[in-house]
Amino acid sequence: MSWFQKEIILSPKSRGIHLITNEITKELAELSAMSVGIAHIFICHTSASLSINENASPDVRRDLEDYLNQSVPENAPYYRHTLEGADDMPAHIKASLLGNSVTVPITRGKLNLGTWQGIYLCEHRDVGGSRRLIITVTGN
Amino acid sequence: MSWFQKEIILSPKSRGIHLITNEITKELAELSAMSVGIAHIFICHTSASLSINENASPDVRRDLEDYLNQSVPENAPYYRHTLEGADDMPAHIKASLLGNSVTVPITRGKLNLGTWQGIYLCEHRDVGGSRRLIITVTGN
Amino acid sequence: MSWFQKEIILSPKSRGIHLITNEITKELAELSAMSVGIAHIFICHTSASLSINENASPDVRRDLEDYLNQSVPENAPYYRHTLEGADDMPAHIKASLLGNSVTVPITRGKLNLGTWQGIYLCEHRDVGGSRRLIITVTGN
């Protein structure tokens, strides 16, 4: 039974959905010693989110971004929280809809993602800057 | 302190929301030895999702399905990812909105779900086929 | 390596989004002995939810509530589950969209939330009553 935890900083990304599976797994060499466990990946921000979805077609990521923009409009007439820009309140809403962490099973030394699954960083701000993640792993 | 992990295959289900609490708990006989822990249930797919919601009225599941279909339309004019069918891109979006895993506390040998809570498989494809879940349990 | 689990009852709250970080952390004195771990917070209900989002501006919470009411209407013509009131079926839908648990990393004896992150109780019923949470912590 063991634990490890890492903080990683993702370089600034444009508004939209980004596949970051490789940026995560390269930090997880310690996994190779575990036969079973869970990896919890947490983003320490309120205007970006994490999700698991299709890892092959970039169009899925573009369509998801477009859907979110349709579903959570900028400049809705009822928004009060507008001082930080038109993209800010929608970013908070999208963050709650998608969630700020993902948890992935570990099996025989690896993240046990399905064939078509990848980890997404969903950047909801126009200029979100660097994003800090905490990866916590426990297993046996 | 112990760990166990199981892969289970759910038989193909029709598009819609399905209560699968019993299909999960029948795989968890090992829980009876744990006084406290967590169970993580993960679906290895990108067009179906897991959620926890009302376990009594089938109408809740039908209404949730109808809501999702209203909220995430097929054939939106901005979709690029259309080659796999009109139900495919909406399925990916719904999967990110609902999430691909649930985590449930374990208390005195059982999943500690509320009285009205059940585990849902949300099948977002017209013909999704079998679905693979990874159940990871750790506790004491 | 240790485990602990607590059940806490939150006093009834009005419909809307409530910051409950302090109500959670005051129950977690045991965290101080852990260098690394995870805290899982689970709500045992199907018409309220948990989320992590902005902890400073009350307007973010009001705008999120307004967004949810716009996005998940009451009295949608296709709802079947209407016997428990106009706010009930929307509450179930919102609960699945936002999720019924959050998981937070523990680092050096504390919840490792970002500077601007707080834990939200999202009360989706007009009169939801007391809400029961199960907090499960494991760490080292």
Side-chain angles (χ1 to χ4, degrees):
Chain A
M1 173 67 195
S2 63
W3 284 86
F4 72 89
Q5 190 175 68
K6 286 191 178 179
E7 178 180 303
I8 69 172
I9 308 291
L10 299 179
S11 60
K13 291 178 169 51
S14 58
R15 177 166 161 173
I17 315 293
H18 301 271
L19 192 61
I20 58 165
T21 317
N22 290 344
E23 292 185 68
I24 302 294
T25 55
K26 78 180 184 192
E27 302 288 339
L28 298 179
E30 294 89 339
L31 284 195
S32 63
M34 286 184 180
S35 61
V36 58
I38 54 177
H40 177 247
I41 306 162
F42 182 89
I43 189 164
C44 304
H45 302 272
T46 63
S47 55
S49 56
L50 298 174
S51 186
I52 290 175
N53 215 313
E54 219 256 7
N55 61 18
S57 162
D59 281 347
V60 170
R61 305 196 289 277
R62 293 183 192 117
D63 288 356
L64 176 56
E65 168 68 9
D66 283 357
Y67 170 79
L68 291 169
N69 293 334
Q70 291 273 338
S71 176
V72 187
E74 299 196 351
N75 302 308
Y78 55 85
Y79 289 158
R80 301 163 188 86
H81 182 79
T82 55
L83 279 178
E84 296 178 52
D87 60 324
D88 188 62
M89 190 59 223
H92 290 306
I93 295 170
K94 293 167 186 173
S96 275
L97 291 175
L98 295 184
N100 77 321
S101 72
V102 293
T103 305
V104 182
I106 298 165
T107 308
R108 290 183 295 277
K110 293 186 178 173
L111 294 183
N112 195 344
L113 292 165
T115 308
W116 302 104
Q117 288 182 311
I119 301 170
Y120 286 2
L121 172 75
C122 308
E123 175 55 72
H124 303 306
R125 295 301 308 268
D126 290 340
V127 183
S130 299
R131 296 299 193 176
R132 185 161 63 97
L133 306 185
I134 309 291
I135 304 176
T136 307
V137 173
T138 180
N140 208 357
Chain B
M1 173 69 194
S2 64
W3 284 87
F4 71 89
Q5 191 175 67
K6 284 191 177 177
E7 178 180 303
I8 70 171
I9 308 292
L10 298 179
S11 60
K13 290 177 168 52
S14 58
R15 177 166 162 173
I17 314 295
H18 301 270
L19 192 61
I20 59 165
T21 316
N22 291 343
E23 293 186 66
I24 302 294
T25 55
K26 77 179 186 192
E27 303 288 338
L28 298 179
E30 294 89 339
L31 284 194
S32 61
M34 288 184 179
S35 61
V36 58
I38 54 176
H40 177 248
I41 305 163
F42 182 88
I43 189 165
C44 304
H45 302 272
T46 63
S47 54
S49 56
L50 297 174
S51 187
I52 290 175
N53 216 313
E54 219 257 7
N55 62 17
S57 161
D59 281 346
V60 171
R61 305 196 290 278
R62 292 183 192 117
D63 288 356
L64 176 57
E65 168 69 8
D66 283 356
Y67 171 79
L68 291 169
N69 292 334
Q70 292 272 337
S71 176
V72 187
E74 300 197 350
N75 303 307
Y78 56 85
Y79 289 156
R80 300 162 188 87
H81 181 79
T82 56
L83 279 178
E84 297 178 52
D87 60 323
D88 188 62
M89 190 59 223
H92 290 306
I93 295 169
K94 293 166 185 172
S96 275
L97 291 175
L98 296 184
N100 78 320
S101 72
V102 293
T103 305
V104 182
I106 297 164
T107 307
R108 290 184 295 278
K110 292 186 178 173
L111 294 183
N112 195 344
L113 291 165
T115 309
W116 301 105
Q117 288 182 311
I119 301 171
Y120 285 3
L121 171 75
C122 308
E123 175 56 70
H124 303 307
R125 295 301 310 267
D126 292 339
V127 183
S130 299
R131 296 298 193 176
R132 186 161 63 98
L133 306 185
I134 309 291
I135 304 176
T136 308
V137 174
T138 180
N140 208 354
Chain C
M1 173 68 195
S2 64
W3 284 87
F4 71 88
Q5 190 175 69
K6 284 191 179 178
E7 179 179 303
I8 69 171
I9 308 291
L10 298 178
S11 61
K13 290 177 169 52
S14 59
R15 178 166 161 172
I17 315 294
H18 302 270
L19 193 61
I20 58 165
T21 316
N22 290 345
E23 293 186 67
I24 302 294
T25 55
K26 77 178 185 192
E27 303 288 339
L28 298 179
E30 294 89 337
L31 283 194
S32 62
M34 286 185 179
S35 62
V36 58
I38 54 177
H40 176 248
I41 306 162
F42 182 89
I43 189 165
C44 305
H45 301 273
T46 62
S47 54
S49 57
L50 297 174
S51 188
I52 290 175
N53 216 314
E54 220 256 8
N55 61 18
S57 162
D59 281 346
V60 170
R61 305 196 289 277
R62 293 184 192 118
D63 288 356
L64 176 57
E65 169 67 9
D66 284 356
Y67 171 79
L68 291 169
N69 292 334
Q70 291 273 337
S71 176
V72 186
E74 299 197 349
N75 302 309
Y78 55 85
Y79 290 157
R80 301 164 188 86
H81 182 79
T82 55
L83 279 178
E84 296 178 52
D87 60 323
D88 187 62
M89 190 58 223
H92 290 305
I93 295 170
K94 293 166 185 173
S96 275
L97 291 175
L98 296 184
N100 77 321
S101 72
V102 294
T103 305
V104 182
I106 298 165
T107 308
R108 291 184 295 278
K110 292 185 178 173
L111 294 183
N112 195 343
L113 292 165
T115 308
W116 302 104
Q117 288 182 310
I119 301 172
Y120 286 2
L121 172 75
C122 308
E123 175 55 72
H124 303 306
R125 295 302 307 269
D126 291 339
V127 184
S130 299
R131 297 298 194 175
R132 185 162 64 97
L133 306 185
I134 308 291
I135 304 176
T136 307
V137 173
T138 180
N140 208 355

